[in-house]
Amino acid sequence: MDIKNVMQADKKLIEDRLMELMNINLTYSSKILDSMRYSLSAGGKRIRPCIFVEVLKSYNIDVKKYLDVACVIEMIHTYSLIHDDLPAMDNDTLRRGKPTNHMVYGDAIAILAGDALLNFAYELLFKFIKNNFQINSVKACEEISNCAGIYGMIGGQVSDIINENKDISSGNLEYIHENKTAKLIIASMVSAGYLANADENDMEHLRKYAYNLGMAFQISDDILDIIGNEKLLGKSVGKDVDEGKNTYPKYFGIEKSKEKLNGYVNSAIDEISEIKDKDMSFFAQLATYIGNRKY
Amino acid sequence: MDIKNVMQADKKLIEDRLMELMNINLTYSSKILDSMRYSLSAGGKRIRPCIFVEVLKSYNIDVKKYLDVACVIEMIHTYSLIHDDLPAMDNDTLRRGKPTNHMVYGDAIAILAGDALLNFAYELLFKFIKNNFQINSVKACEEISNCAGIYGMIGGQVSDIINENKDISSGNLEYIHENKTAKLIIASMVSAGYLANADENDMEHLRKYAYNLGMAFQISDDILDIIGNEKLLGKSVGKDVDEGKNTYPKYFGIEKSKEKLNGYVNSAIDEISEIKDKDMSFFAQLATYIGNRKY
């Protein structure tokens, strides 16, 4: 299996459905749809919904039935990028090689497009629960919402922002990376686990794999912000240092950060190997890929 | 019945529960909780959750069981005010007589506090569905989410903002008021109707009452922004004209706007009177109160 081909196929599946879901007409407020679609179609690897889809496949579940939940996770990720890029936050003008949302639509519409994507994600989840009325549907949605809020992604972003240009403890640094980045990857994995009716033992390994993969993902992002290629990454590098962000390289230096990255990659592989009666080879390869990525 | 006493009692019930729900500790990101609590405790009449509570009471339902849903509606309303007040949006420095959220916590935290309140609202709703696992719980939550997003409040806000200092059709003006304001009042009424297992006939009258009350509420707001008392209102007046907002007085003049206001008030009373086997007197009085309010 070449995971790049698998990811490419999943990406197409997800992007097609995303555009179907956004095939909406609004007479008096169509501008918000343009702004939402602009950021949703800005590309990227779609790694979170791809993980969700691959968990379902490992459990031999029909992916199409749950594709909207995959799209919801991408919508939540996208809203967070739009708000992150705002002048009041990270003030980024470029994202994946394209002007950021507020550069095209203005700050007001960018704020509202973020709000609208977050809200629309939950509109879709309630509809999903109504059409798939079982308790595990609710648990999957609850996991996603908890991982996206103050106990997850938003909590991490807040700690990230209020500690710019400050020295923090390693515990705080870990908190930021776990919450800012790993939580939404945990959400992708665990929500799919619920929908696949995975047993408790599997759920624990899925959760721990996702945690380790998420940490590896953010540390590799930190490293690439220093040694990465701007053109291949499709975004500015060196921003973390400019903004006084707390990163693993800042705290531990590049070499020690690479060691930490490898540690998380290996732990992720160990965790997923514990699920022995399913083909989880995609996830072992994904962890290796994250450990080695150059852009 | 003096509806002011009833509303005061509901307000206390809701505010007590809001503060219980926000009794949270976060080691590394407690600032977001301060910011969320600041806006949640800024007062106001709590008219949306009060309407929700009063529908349940009319149907002899134990309000306590559903109080978290009432709080969710207030959280959604509060997040929208925080984002509305931002410099990139309406740029308001004063709300209910107190500095707005971003004046106290800065723009970045204010954006994240809004995001966090919206997300937390949905976290609570999934937990609510899990603990009250029946299809009408889902329908109630779906109604709230639909009324808050692009098909409701956000749609209205977008059209409001993009049409500042422009001449629009009366249809567009109606769209703005219906979506910006009436939809969340419809959500309060209709979600409570679902939870009370109201029949289809009642649901229709609850929905139409809420629509008319919501329109009346926004038109009276428009009028008070011109002739109201700043001190009693607890906010600046004359802002609508300054910002080139499309209001009923701008379009129809004050006298015609008052006529329209009375029309919506009377329609609301007509609708609620159609529910004959329940005591709906609170709602008739509420409509009259909105029609007569001076601040």
Side-chain angles (χ1 to χ4, degrees):
Chain A
M1 177 183 57
D2 181 346
I3 68 159
K4 280 199 178 165
N5 290 341
V6 176
M7 288 173 77
Q8 200 58 41
D10 289 346
K11 181 175 146 84
K12 179 162 172 21
L13 194 71
I14 292 150
E15 290 180 346
D16 286 353
R17 183 61 188 151
L18 271 174
M19 286 307 111
E20 272 174 33
L21 287 169
M22 291 305 299
N23 186 13
I24 300 167
N25 287 305
L26 293 172
T27 307
Y28 295 118
S29 48
S30 60
K31 196 174 181 185
I32 194 76
L33 298 173
D34 298 339
S35 172
M36 291 162 83
R37 285 190 202 107
Y38 176 79
S39 288
L40 278 177
S41 59
K45 288 179 289 296
R46 315 291 188 183
I47 199 157
R48 293 158 195 80
C50 169
I51 287 171
F52 174 93
V53 161
E54 289 304 316
V55 171
L56 291 179
K57 280 200 212 161
S58 302
Y59 284 81
N60 289 311
I61 306 285
D62 179 16
V63 170
K64 290 236 168 75
K65 198 178 162 190
Y66 300 115
L67 208 49
D68 288 4
V69 181
C71 291
V72 157
I73 295 169
E74 189 65 11
M75 286 176 186
I76 293 175
H77 174 58
T78 304
Y79 114 80
S80 78
L81 299 181
I82 297 174
H83 282 188
D84 258 8
D85 288 339
L86 286 166
M89 307 268 278
D90 286 353
N91 195 20
D92 270 311
T93 56
L94 204 64
R95 159 85 58 189
R96 292 167 185 158
K98 289 171 68 180
T100 47
N101 197 293
H102 66 272
M103 296 296 288
V104 179
Y105 295 95
D107 294 3
I109 293 296
I111 293 168
L112 287 166
D115 295 347
L117 278 171
L118 179 61
N119 197 84
F120 192 54
Y122 291 119
E123 290 175 64
L124 290 171
L125 289 188
F126 291 121
K127 193 173 170 193
F128 170 77
I129 295 174
K130 200 176 68 176
N131 295 334
N132 298 269
F133 192 60
Q134 48 199 10
I135 198 73
N136 271 19
S137 299
V138 186
K139 287 183 184 172
C141 297
E142 194 186 23
E143 180 76 27
I144 293 169
S145 71
N146 288 340
C147 286
I150 51 174
Y151 301 109
M153 188 177 71
I154 294 177
Q157 286 171 316
V158 169
S159 193
D160 191 29
I161 281 184
I162 62 180
N163 288 307
E164 278 173 12
N165 296 306
K166 286 185 190 157
D167 288 322
I168 57 172
S169 66
S170 65
N172 196 350
L173 179 64
E174 240 173 75
Y175 169 88
I176 292 172
H177 281 45
E178 175 176 354
N179 285 280
K180 189 175 71 166
T181 306
K183 281 286 173 75
L184 210 53
I185 292 179
I186 293 172
S188 310
M189 203 101 189
V190 170
S191 62
Y194 277 124
L195 297 173
N197 286 307
D199 64 31
E200 266 184 46
N201 193 47
D202 281 16
M203 287 297 274
E204 206 44 41
H205 294 303
L206 292 173
R207 189 181 288 278
K208 286 182 179 161
Y209 168 86
Y211 163 76
N212 284 290
L213 188 81
M215 293 301 286
F217 192 72
Q218 185 56 50
I219 296 170
S220 106
D221 238 33
D222 288 356
I223 295 172
L224 288 172
D225 191 67
I226 294 175
I227 63 170
N229 181 315
E230 195 154 323
K231 211 162 180 182
L232 291 172
L233 284 166
K235 62 178 178 183
S236 332
V237 298
K239 291 273 307 179
D240 289 343
V241 175
D242 293 350
E243 287 165 7
K245 289 278 184 196
N246 283 289
T247 66
Y248 272 63
K250 180 189 166 193
Y251 200 93
F252 296 106
I254 290 272
E255 285 316 307
K256 189 84 193 289
S257 296
K258 283 183 179 172
E259 273 173 41
K260 296 243 171 210
L261 166 59
N262 288 331
Y264 283 115
V265 167
N266 292 333
S267 297
I269 293 171
D270 288 349
E271 286 295 337
I272 210 69
S273 311
E274 290 295 318
I275 302 179
K276 296 186 195 299
D277 59 339
K278 311 273 178 324
D279 177 7
M280 306 306 273
S281 56
F282 171 85
F283 294 102
Q285 288 186 47
L286 178 63
T288 304
Y289 167 79
I290 296 293
N292 294 330
R293 75 187 176 130
K294 298 282 174 287
Y295 54 89
Chain B
M1 178 182 55
D2 182 346
I3 68 159
K4 280 199 180 164
N5 290 341
V6 175
M7 289 173 76
Q8 199 59 40
D10 289 347
K11 180 174 147 83
K12 177 160 174 23
L13 194 71
I14 292 150
E15 290 181 346
D16 286 352
R17 183 62 187 151
L18 270 175
M19 287 307 110
E20 271 174 32
L21 288 169
M22 291 306 297
N23 186 13
I24 299 169
N25 287 306
L26 293 172
T27 307
Y28 295 118
S29 46
S30 59
K31 196 175 180 184
I32 194 76
L33 299 173
D34 297 338
S35 172
M36 292 161 81
R37 285 191 203 107
Y38 176 80
S39 288
L40 278 177
S41 58
K45 286 180 288 296
R46 315 291 188 184
I47 199 158
R48 294 159 193 80
C50 167
I51 286 171
F52 174 93
V53 161
E54 289 304 316
V55 171
L56 291 180
K57 280 200 214 163
S58 302
Y59 285 81
N60 288 312
I61 306 284
D62 178 16
V63 170
K64 290 238 167 74
K65 198 178 162 190
Y66 300 114
L67 207 49
D68 288 5
V69 181
C71 291
V72 157
I73 295 169
E74 189 65 11
M75 286 177 187
I76 293 175
H77 174 59
T78 303
Y79 114 80
S80 78
L81 299 182
I82 297 174
H83 282 188
D84 258 8
D85 288 339
L86 286 165
M89 307 269 278
D90 285 353
N91 195 20
D92 270 310
T93 56
L94 204 63
R95 161 83 59 187
R96 293 167 185 156
K98 289 172 66 180
T100 47
N101 196 294
H102 66 272
M103 296 297 287
V104 179
Y105 295 95
D107 293 3
I109 293 295
I111 292 168
L112 287 166
D115 294 347
L117 278 170
L118 179 61
N119 197 84
F120 192 55
Y122 291 119
E123 290 175 64
L124 290 171
L125 288 187
F126 292 121
K127 193 174 170 193
F128 170 76
I129 294 175
K130 200 176 68 177
N131 296 334
N132 298 270
F133 193 59
Q134 49 199 10
I135 199 73
N136 271 18
S137 298
V138 186
K139 287 184 183 170
C141 296
E142 194 185 24
E143 179 77 28
I144 293 169
S145 71
N146 288 341
C147 286
I150 52 175
Y151 302 109
M153 187 178 70
I154 294 177
Q157 285 172 316
V158 169
S159 193
D160 190 30
I161 281 184
I162 61 181
N163 288 307
E164 279 172 11
N165 295 306
K166 286 184 192 158
D167 287 323
I168 58 173
S169 66
S170 65
N172 197 348
L173 179 64
E174 239 173 75
Y175 169 87
I176 292 173
H177 281 46
E178 175 177 355
N179 285 279
K180 189 175 72 165
T181 306
K183 282 285 174 78
L184 211 52
I185 292 178
I186 293 172
S188 311
M189 201 100 189
V190 170
S191 62
Y194 277 124
L195 296 173
N197 286 307
D199 65 31
E200 266 183 47
N201 193 48
D202 281 15
M203 286 297 275
E204 207 43 42
H205 294 303
L206 292 174
R207 189 180 289 278
K208 286 183 179 159
Y209 168 86
Y211 164 77
N212 284 291
L213 187 80
M215 294 300 285
F217 192 73
Q218 185 56 50
I219 297 170
S220 103
D221 238 33
D222 289 356
I223 295 172
L224 288 173
D225 191 67
I226 295 176
I227 62 168
N229 181 316
E230 194 154 323
K231 211 162 180 182
L232 291 173
L233 284 166
K235 63 178 178 185
S236 333
V237 299
K239 292 274 304 181
D240 289 345
V241 175
D242 293 350
E243 288 164 6
K245 290 279 183 197
N246 283 289
T247 65
Y248 272 62
K250 180 188 168 194
Y251 200 92
F252 296 105
I254 290 271
E255 284 317 307
K256 189 85 193 289
S257 297
K258 284 183 179 172
E259 272 172 43
K260 296 244 172 208
L261 167 60
N262 288 332
Y264 284 115
V265 167
N266 291 333
S267 297
I269 293 170
D270 288 349
E271 286 296 337
I272 211 67
S273 311
E274 290 295 317
I275 302 179
K276 296 187 194 300
D277 57 341
K278 312 272 179 322
D279 177 7
M280 306 307 272
S281 55
F282 171 85
F283 294 101
Q285 288 187 47
L286 178 63
T288 305
Y289 167 79
I290 297 293
N292 294 332
R293 76 189 176 126
K294 299 283 174 287
Y295 56 89

mmCIF file with all atom_site columns, all heavy atoms in Angstrom, chain A residues 280-291:
data_model
loop_
_atom_site.group_PDB
_atom_site.id
_atom_site.type_symbol
_atom_site.label_atom_id
_atom_site.label_alt_id
_atom_site.label_comp_id
_atom_site.label_asym_id
_atom_site.label_entity_id
_atom_site.label_seq_id
_atom_site.pdbx_PDB_ins_code
_atom_site.Cartn_x
_atom_site.Cartn_y
_atom_site.Cartn_z
_atom_site.occupancy
_atom_site.B_iso_or_equiv
_atom_site.pdbx_formal_charge
_atom_site.auth_seq_id
_atom_site.auth_comp_id
_atom_site.auth_asym_id
_atom_site.auth_atom_id
_atom_site.pdbx_PDB_model_num
ATOM 1  N N   . MET A 1 280 ? -4.411 -2.475 10.390 1.00 0.00 ? 280 MET A N   1
ATOM 2  C CA  . MET A 1 280 ? -4.161 -1.085 10.762 1.00 0.00 ? 280 MET A CA  1
ATOM 3  C C   . MET A 1 280 ? -2.867 -0.554 10.122 1.00 0.00 ? 280 MET A C   1
ATOM 4  O O   . MET A 1 280 ? -2.309 0.449  10.599 1.00 0.00 ? 280 MET A O   1
ATOM 5  C CB  . MET A 1 280 ? -4.065 -0.936 12.289 1.00 0.00 ? 280 MET A CB  1
ATOM 6  C CG  . MET A 1 280 ? -5.259 -1.492 13.071 1.00 0.00 ? 280 MET A CG  1
ATOM 7  S SD  . MET A 1 280 ? -6.878 -0.840 12.527 1.00 0.00 ? 280 MET A SD  1
ATOM 8  C CE  . MET A 1 280 ? -7.027 0.654  13.496 1.00 0.00 ? 280 MET A CE  1
ATOM 9  N N   . SER A 1 281 ? -2.426 -1.213 9.025  1.00 0.00 ? 281 SER A N   1
ATOM 10 C CA  . SER A 1 281 ? -1.127 -0.851 8.452  1.00 0.00 ? 281 SER A CA  1
ATOM 11 C C   . SER A 1 281 ? -1.095 0.601  7.957  1.00 0.00 ? 281 SER A C   1
ATOM 12 O O   . SER A 1 281 ? -0.058 1.255  8.007  1.00 0.00 ? 281 SER A O   1
ATOM 13 C CB  . SER A 1 281 ? -0.758 -1.815 7.323  1.00 0.00 ? 281 SER A CB  1
ATOM 14 O OG  . SER A 1 281 ? -1.785 -1.822 6.361  1.00 0.00 ? 281 SER A OG  1
ATOM 15 N N   . PHE A 1 282 ? -2.255 1.119  7.510  1.00 0.00 ? 282 PHE A N   1
ATOM 16 C CA  . PHE A 1 282 ? -2.277 2.522  7.078  1.00 0.00 ? 282 PHE A CA  1
ATOM 17 C C   . PHE A 1 282 ? -1.761 3.432  8.194  1.00 0.00 ? 282 PHE A C   1
ATOM 18 O O   . PHE A 1 282 ? -0.995 4.366  7.952  1.00 0.00 ? 282 PHE A O   1
ATOM 19 C CB  . PHE A 1 282 ? -3.706 2.942  6.686  1.00 0.00 ? 282 PHE A CB  1
ATOM 20 C CG  . PHE A 1 282 ? -3.846 4.426  6.447  1.00 0.00 ? 282 PHE A CG  1
ATOM 21 C CD1 . PHE A 1 282 ? -3.541 4.981  5.210  1.00 0.00 ? 282 PHE A CD1 1
ATOM 22 C CD2 . PHE A 1 282 ? -4.252 5.281  7.473  1.00 0.00 ? 282 PHE A CD2 1
ATOM 23 C CE1 . PHE A 1 282 ? -3.658 6.349  4.992  1.00 0.00 ? 282 PHE A CE1 1
ATOM 24 C CE2 . PHE A 1 282 ? -4.362 6.660  7.261  1.00 0.00 ? 282 PHE A CE2 1
ATOM 25 C CZ  . PHE A 1 282 ? -4.069 7.187  6.026  1.00 0.00 ? 282 PHE A CZ  1
ATOM 26 N N   . PHE A 1 283 ? -2.205 3.154  9.413  1.00 0.00 ? 283 PHE A N   1
ATOM 27 C CA  . PHE A 1 283 ? -1.890 4.053  10.532 1.00 0.00 ? 283 PHE A CA  1
ATOM 28 C C   . PHE A 1 283 ? -0.426 3.968  10.949 1.00 0.00 ? 283 PHE A C   1
ATOM 29 O O   . PHE A 1 283 ? 0.185  4.985  11.314 1.00 0.00 ? 283 PHE A O   1
ATOM 30 C CB  . PHE A 1 283 ? -2.836 3.781  11.700 1.00 0.00 ? 283 PHE A CB  1
ATOM 31 C CG  . PHE A 1 283 ? -4.252 4.130  11.362 1.00 0.00 ? 283 PHE A CG  1
ATOM 32 C CD1 . PHE A 1 283 ? -5.176 3.151  11.022 1.00 0.00 ? 283 PHE A CD1 1
ATOM 33 C CD2 . PHE A 1 283 ? -4.648 5.455  11.319 1.00 0.00 ? 283 PHE A CD2 1
ATOM 34 C CE1 . PHE A 1 283 ? -6.472 3.490  10.669 1.00 0.00 ? 283 PHE A CE1 1
ATOM 35 C CE2 . PHE A 1 283 ? -5.943 5.806  10.971 1.00 0.00 ? 283 PHE A CE2 1
ATOM 36 C CZ  . PHE A 1 283 ? -6.859 4.823  10.639 1.00 0.00 ? 283 PHE A CZ  1
ATOM 37 N N   . ALA A 1 284 ? 0.151  2.772  10.871 1.00 0.00 ? 284 ALA A N   1
ATOM 38 C CA  . ALA A 1 284 ? 1.584  2.647  11.159 1.00 0.00 ? 284 ALA A CA  1
ATOM 39 C C   . ALA A 1 284 ? 2.382  3.448  10.123 1.00 0.00 ? 284 ALA A C   1
ATOM 40 O O   . ALA A 1 284 ? 3.304  4.192  10.462 1.00 0.00 ? 284 ALA A O   1
ATOM 41 C CB  . ALA A 1 284 ? 1.978  1.175  11.147 1.00 0.00 ? 284 ALA A CB  1
ATOM 42 N N   . GLN A 1 285 ? 1.983  3.307  8.850  1.00 0.00 ? 285 GLN A N   1
ATOM 43 C CA  . GLN A 1 285 ? 2.683  4.034  7.782  1.00 0.00 ? 285 GLN A CA  1
ATOM 44 C C   . GLN A 1 285 ? 2.479  5.543  7.896  1.00 0.00 ? 285 GLN A C   1
ATOM 45 O O   . GLN A 1 285 ? 3.390  6.329  7.615  1.00 0.00 ? 285 GLN A O   1
ATOM 46 C CB  . GLN A 1 285 ? 2.212  3.543  6.416  1.00 0.00 ? 285 GLN A CB  1
ATOM 47 C CG  . GLN A 1 285 ? 2.729  2.149  6.076  1.00 0.00 ? 285 GLN A CG  1
ATOM 48 C CD  . GLN A 1 285 ? 2.373  1.753  4.647  1.00 0.00 ? 285 GLN A CD  1
ATOM 49 O OE1 . GLN A 1 285 ? 2.563  2.526  3.705  1.00 0.00 ? 285 GLN A OE1 1
ATOM 50 N NE2 . GLN A 1 285 ? 1.855  0.551  4.484  1.00 0.00 ? 285 GLN A NE2 1
ATOM 51 N N   . LEU A 1 286 ? 1.284  5.949  8.317  1.00 0.00 ? 286 LEU A N   1
ATOM 52 C CA  . LEU A 1 286 ? 1.006  7.385  8.468  1.00 0.00 ? 286 LEU A CA  1
ATOM 53 C C   . LEU A 1 286 ? 1.921  7.998  9.531  1.00 0.00 ? 286 LEU A C   1
ATOM 54 O O   . LEU A 1 286 ? 2.462  9.095  9.340  1.00 0.00 ? 286 LEU A O   1
ATOM 55 C CB  . LEU A 1 286 ? -0.470 7.608  8.840  1.00 0.00 ? 286 LEU A CB  1
ATOM 56 C CG  . LEU A 1 286 ? -0.889 9.062  9.076  1.00 0.00 ? 286 LEU A CG  1
ATOM 57 C CD1 . LEU A 1 286 ? -0.732 9.899  7.806  1.00 0.00 ? 286 LEU A CD1 1
ATOM 58 C CD2 . LEU A 1 286 ? -2.348 9.142  9.567  1.00 0.00 ? 286 LEU A CD2 1
ATOM 59 N N   . ALA A 1 287 ? 2.094  7.279  10.640 1.00 0.00 ? 287 ALA A N   1
ATOM 60 C CA  . ALA A 1 287 ? 2.968  7.786  11.708 1.00 0.00 ? 287 ALA A CA  1
ATOM 61 C C   . ALA A 1 287 ? 4.395  7.949  11.190 1.00 0.00 ? 287 ALA A C   1
ATOM 62 O O   . ALA A 1 287 ? 5.045  8.977  11.434 1.00 0.00 ? 287 ALA A O   1
ATOM 63 C CB  . ALA A 1 287 ? 2.928  6.846  12.910 1.00 0.00 ? 287 ALA A CB  1
ATOM 64 N N   . THR A 1 288 ? 4.866  6.957  10.448 1.00 0.00 ? 288 THR A N   1
ATOM 65 C CA  . THR A 1 288 ? 6.218  7.033  9.870  1.00 0.00 ? 288 THR A CA  1
ATOM 66 C C   . THR A 1 288 ? 6.325  8.230  8.919  1.00 0.00 ? 288 THR A C   1
ATOM 67 O O   . THR A 1 288 ? 7.306  8.980  8.944  1.00 0.00 ? 288 THR A O   1
ATOM 68 C CB  . THR A 1 288 ? 6.537  5.737  9.097  1.00 0.00 ? 288 THR A CB  1
ATOM 69 O OG1 . THR A 1 288 ? 6.356  4.635  9.996  1.00 0.00 ? 288 THR A OG1 1
ATOM 70 C CG2 . THR A 1 288 ? 7.958  5.732  8.575  1.00 0.00 ? 288 THR A CG2 1
ATOM 71 N N   . TYR A 1 289 ? 5.282  8.411  8.109  1.00 0.00 ? 289 TYR A N   1
ATOM 72 C CA  . TYR A 1 289 ? 5.230  9.514  7.147  1.00 0.00 ? 289 TYR A CA  1
ATOM 73 C C   . TYR A 1 289 ? 5.315  10.873 7.858  1.00 0.00 ? 289 TYR A C   1
ATOM 74 O O   . TYR A 1 289 ? 6.063  11.762 7.443  1.00 0.00 ? 289 TYR A O   1
ATOM 75 C CB  . TYR A 1 289 ? 3.944  9.388  6.320  1.00 0.00 ? 289 TYR A CB  1
ATOM 76 C CG  . TYR A 1 289 ? 3.567  10.581 5.489  1.00 0.00 ? 289 TYR A CG  1
ATOM 77 C CD1 . TYR A 1 289 ? 4.193  10.843 4.277  1.00 0.00 ? 289 TYR A CD1 1
ATOM 78 C CD2 . TYR A 1 289 ? 2.564  11.449 5.915  1.00 0.00 ? 289 TYR A CD2 1
ATOM 79 C CE1 . TYR A 1 289 ? 3.834  11.938 3.513  1.00 0.00 ? 289 TYR A CE1 1
ATOM 80 C CE2 . TYR A 1 289 ? 2.198  12.550 5.157  1.00 0.00 ? 289 TYR A CE2 1
ATOM 81 C CZ  . TYR A 1 289 ? 2.830  12.794 3.959  1.00 0.00 ? 289 TYR A CZ  1
ATOM 82 O OH  . TYR A 1 289 ? 2.467  13.885 3.212  1.00 0.00 ? 289 TYR A OH  1
ATOM 83 N N   . ILE A 1 290 ? 4.553  11.015 8.930  1.00 0.00 ? 290 ILE A N   1
ATOM 84 C CA  . ILE A 1 290 ? 4.584  12.275 9.699  1.00 0.00 ? 290 ILE A CA  1
ATOM 85 C C   . ILE A 1 290 ? 5.983  12.499 10.278 1.00 0.00 ? 290 ILE A C   1
ATOM 86 O O   . ILE A 1 290 ? 6.504  13.624 10.302 1.00 0.00 ? 290 ILE A O   1
ATOM 87 C CB  . ILE A 1 290 ? 3.544  12.244 10.853 1.00 0.00 ? 290 ILE A CB  1
ATOM 88 C CG1 . ILE A 1 290 ? 2.114  12.146 10.314 1.00 0.00 ? 290 ILE A CG1 1
ATOM 89 C CG2 . ILE A 1 290 ? 3.702  13.457 11.779 1.00 0.00 ? 290 ILE A CG2 1
ATOM 90 C CD1 . ILE A 1 290 ? 1.628  13.345 9.558  1.00 0.00 ? 290 ILE A CD1 1
ATOM 91 N N   . GLY A 1 291 ? 6.599  11.429 10.734 1.00 0.00 ? 291 GLY A N   1
ATOM 92 C CA  . GLY A 1 291 ? 7.949  11.537 11.298 1.00 0.00 ? 291 GLY A CA  1
ATOM 93 C C   . GLY A 1 291 ? 8.985  11.982 10.282 1.00 0.00 ? 291 GLY A C   1
ATOM 94 O O   . GLY A 1 291 ? 9.982  12.628 10.629 1.00 0.00 ? 291 GLY A O   1
#
